[in-house]
Amino acid sequence: MADTLRRLTNTSSFSVLQDKLESWHKDYHVISCDQNLNRCCELIELTAKIQGQLFAILNLTAAEGGHYAGVETLKTRLLPWLGTCFSMAKPSVTDDTSLQLIQDSVEKDRRIRELCASHENDMQKMETQLCSSRLQLDSVRAELVDAHKELDEIKSKSATTLLATEDEILQLKADLRCAHEQVEIYKRKLDALDDYEHQIRLLRDEVSYLSTEKAVLQDRLVRSRSPSPLPRLSSCSSPMRSESPTRAQLTNSSRHARLVSRFSDLYAVERLEAQTLLRRYIADLEMVQKIIFIAVVESCKTAKLAYRQFKLRVKKTLSPSHYGPESLEDAAVDYIVRNLDLYDVQDSVNTVINTMNVNPRISFPPEVDFVLISTLIRETCRVAFAMQTLEPPLDLAFASDGELYNDNKYRRSYDSEFAAPLVMYHVWPALMEGNAVIVKGEAVTRRGALWSRSRSQSRSSSPVRSRSLSPTRSLAFNSKRSLSPQRLTASYL
């Protein structure tokens, strides 16, 4: 019995019955009639199960008490209760009460139907709201899908825009390269324009020369037509033709001014550009300035030698067919002035670079070459070659490290010691016409320059002097034009 009672207690059947009863009470007006009946039958079944368990406990308890224990309780309580439950007693209500009960039942049924109708209306409203909610949910889902599609489109557009931006960047780079190429083309056109201007000046000089020659020929024609025998004799001997100037002589002054100006431009433009290029590889400014100075001196020497060789070839070519009034020397110079473009400047540039490569006075990083300053060398060779066509020709002044500073030939650089009397090294050579200084050079003066020069000479002999030519050999190049010893030294040292 104790085990059965414990199992009944542990299952909490009465608590479950109470919970179901309360739940039915809450949902009574919401659920339908069939559902209410099902709930009631469920409660009756559960009550019957509990009563069956209680009757089993009652039986066990009565059995434990023996044959006579508990008889009085069963007689007084259980049997009367059973009789009341199973007896068919006559109802004690009247007809009016029954009618009233029927009316109440009808009223309850009506209320139940109304509640069912209201419940159905509420269910329909809820279903309608549910449908609208589902429609809204579907629309939201559709909007979400559209948003995803728009996001994908935006992503694709962003990727396309990024690719387009990269393409634009590449296009801009290509345009920049084209712009640089255009700039180079314009620079070349500008150089060509300068050449055209140079040719125009040459043509103008030639026109003036032809005008002068025309005037001379007209004067000669007038004299040949005169009845006087003396003019006819002079016409036969033609002394006026020997006095007619050549084109080189007519344009000497203009070419002189232009070349002097170009030499100054070499110092102001090409020299600074070369110095900027060299400073990228050589940190020592003194060595950079020495390299530029030696390059200019070697370029002038090479251009002078090329001029003499070119002049010899021209004279050799013109000598078989030369019958003009001017001398062969003047005819050769005039031909060179007219055909300066025939000068092989690249050969001179290569010669200068090879000479500088074996010069022990200067040092250069092994990973680069003197071709870096080939622009300065080329322009200097052109200017020096054209200077040899002047009368008298222009030349560079002799320069030597440790020489006495001459204020007429040089000006001191900004980093010089202005009280020092000796030249430490040269930055730019001076331009000479005979013994007169046309353009001053630039030099660096410092104390102890003579001692530094003597120490450098004790280490190695000067390669420039070792390659110098003798005065007799230098005179053999030009039999018609004599050179002073100073010019000769400046040319080959």
Side-chain angles (χ1 to χ4, degrees):
M1 188 278 295
D3 294 333
T4 305
L5 182 60
R6 184 173 58 253
R7 284 195 300 271
L8 182 62
T9 304
N10 292 332
T11 54
S12 302
S13 299
F14 288 98
S15 300
V16 173
L17 182 62
Q18 182 66 26
D19 293 336
K20 287 183 176 293
L21 187 62
E22 291 178 357
S23 175
W24 183 28
H25 179 265
K26 290 179 181 179
D27 298 337
Y28 181 79
H29 298 288
V30 177
I31 61 179
S32 62
C33 180
D34 293 336
Q35 291 175 348
N36 287 325
L37 294 176
N38 289 327
R39 291 281 185 91
C40 184
C41 291
E42 182 180 358
L43 292 175
I44 291 172
E45 290 176 356
L46 183 59
T47 303
K49 290 179 181 180
I50 295 172
Q51 287 180 354
Q53 292 179 2
L54 290 176
F55 275 108
I57 294 171
L58 179 64
N59 188 18
L60 292 175
T61 304
E64 288 177 357
H67 293 283
Y68 302 103
V71 175
E72 185 66 25
T73 303
L74 294 175
K75 289 180 178 182
T76 58
R77 297 195 62 180
L78 180 60
L79 294 176
W81 179 74
L82 290 175
T84 304
C85 292
F86 291 100
S87 62
M88 297 298 295
K90 184 181 180 179
S92 59
V93 294
T94 61
D95 294 336
D96 294 334
T97 304
S98 299
L99 182 60
Q100 183 66 32
L101 292 175
I102 293 171
Q103 290 178 354
D104 293 339
S105 178
V106 171
E107 183 66 23
K108 289 180 180 180
D109 292 337
R110 185 181 62 79
R111 289 181 181 178
I112 289 172
R113 286 194 297 271
E114 290 177 356
L115 290 175
C116 289
S118 64
H119 176 69
E120 289 179 357
N121 292 331
D122 292 339
M123 290 295 294
Q124 291 178 358
K125 291 180 180 179
M126 291 179 68
E127 288 178 357
T128 305
Q129 292 178 358
L130 182 60
C131 292
S132 63
S133 299
R134 287 177 179 175
L135 293 175
Q136 291 179 359
L137 181 60
D138 293 336
S139 64
V140 170
R141 287 178 179 175
E143 292 177 357
L144 183 61
V145 172
D146 295 337
H148 280 297
K149 291 181 180 179
E150 292 179 359
L151 182 60
D152 294 335
E153 292 178 358
I154 291 173
K155 287 182 179 179
S156 61
K157 289 180 179 179
S158 300
T160 307
T161 306
L162 182 60
L163 294 175
T165 305
E166 292 179 355
D167 294 337
E168 290 178 358
I169 292 173
L170 295 176
Q171 184 64 32
L172 290 175
K173 289 183 179 179
D175 295 340
L176 182 61
R177 286 194 297 270
C178 293
H180 285 302
E181 293 176 358
Q182 291 291 333
V183 169
E184 294 297 330
I185 293 173
Y186 290 148
K187 286 183 179 179
R188 289 194 292 270
K189 289 183 179 179
L190 183 60
D191 295 336
L193 182 61
D194 294 337
D195 295 337
Y196 293 153
E197 291 179 353
H198 172 63
Q199 293 179 5
I200 289 172
R201 287 195 297 267
L202 295 179
L203 291 174
R204 287 177 180 174
D205 294 338
E206 187 173 359
V207 168
S208 63
Y209 165 71
L210 293 175
S211 300
T212 306
E213 189 174 0
K214 178 181 177 182
V216 172
L217 291 176
Q218 288 178 352
D219 187 18
R220 194 178 298 166
L221 181 62
V222 171
R223 290 186 181 183
S224 64
R225 292 178 180 178
S226 63
S228 174
L230 183 59
R232 285 196 297 269
L233 179 62
S234 62
S235 175
C236 294
S237 60
S238 64
M240 295 297 293
R241 293 181 63 187
S242 62
E243 297 177 358
S244 60
T246 63
R247 182 177 183 277
Q249 294 171 351
L250 288 173
T251 62
N252 187 74
S253 60
S254 62
R255 289 186 293 111
H256 181 278
R258 181 175 57 82
L259 290 173
V260 171
S261 175
R262 186 70 185 99
F263 184 79
S264 301
D265 292 339
L266 287 176
Y267 171 79
V269 181
E270 279 81 0
R271 180 188 69 88
L272 295 179
E273 292 178 354
Q275 180 173 317
T276 303
L277 289 174
L278 291 175
R279 287 302 297 273
R280 296 178 182 175
Y281 305 96
I282 303 176
D284 187 8
L285 178 60
E286 178 179 344
M287 180 55 63
V288 170
Q289 292 176 344
K290 285 183 179 180
I291 290 173
I292 293 175
F293 177 77
I294 293 175
V296 172
V297 173
E298 292 293 337
S299 299
C300 290
K301 290 192 326 184
T302 306
K304 287 171 64 178
L305 182 59
Y307 173 78
R308 288 169 183 168
Q309 294 174 354
F310 187 72
K311 186 176 179 182
L312 288 175
R313 292 196 301 269
V314 171
K315 290 171 68 175
K316 183 178 179 180
T317 304
L318 295 179
S319 58
S321 61
H322 178 69
Y323 298 103
E326 69 275 0
S327 62
L328 182 61
E329 181 81 14
D330 294 338
V333 174
D334 188 67
Y335 177 83
I336 295 174
V337 171
R338 294 171 182 269
N339 300 277
L340 288 175
D341 294 336
L342 297 178
Y343 167 47
D344 189 5
V345 64
Q346 186 60 40
D347 183 67
S348 298
V349 171
N350 296 334
T351 304
V352 172
I353 292 175
N354 294 332
T355 304
M356 294 180 67
N357 285 330
V358 297
N359 194 332
R361 295 176 56 196
I362 54 178
S363 61
F364 207 63
E367 63 270 9
V368 291
D369 192 66
F370 286 109
V371 181
L372 192 66
I373 57 173
S374 58
T375 302
L376 173 65
I377 297 173
R378 181 179 294 105
E379 296 302 321
T380 305
C381 289
R382 287 177 178 173
V383 173
F385 186 87
M387 284 180 179
Q388 304 307 307
T389 63
L390 298 176
E391 184 61 34
L394 299 179
D395 201 355
L396 299 183
F398 170 74
S400 176
D401 293 344
E403 67 176 332
L404 186 64
Y405 174 76
N406 187 353
D407 191 58
N408 294 325
K409 292 171 57 177
Y410 302 103
R411 58 177 177 272
R412 286 184 172 92
S413 61
Y414 70 95
D415 56 346
S416 299
E417 296 180 4
F418 290 89
L422 300 180
V423 176
M424 184 72 177
Y425 64 92
H426 297 80
V427 177
W428 192 256
L431 186 63
M432 305 287 291
E433 185 179 7
N435 295 326
V437 178
I438 303 300
V439 179
K440 282 187 176 183
E442 184 177 347
V444 177
T445 57
R446 291 175 187 167
R447 296 187 183 276
L450 183 60
W451 177 79
S452 300
R453 179 173 177 270
S454 62
R455 185 178 62 175
S456 62
Q457 286 181 352
S458 64
R459 292 178 179 175
S460 62
S461 61
S462 174
V464 181
R465 291 185 181 275
S466 65
R467 290 193 297 271
S468 63
L469 301 177
S470 62
T472 58
R473 184 179 177 185
S474 64
L475 289 173
F477 283 98
N478 193 354
S479 59
K480 296 293 183 179
R481 184 181 299 167
S482 61
L483 300 177
S484 63
Q486 294 180 353
R487 291 182 56 211
L488 193 61
T489 305
S491 303
Y492 292 100
L493 289 181

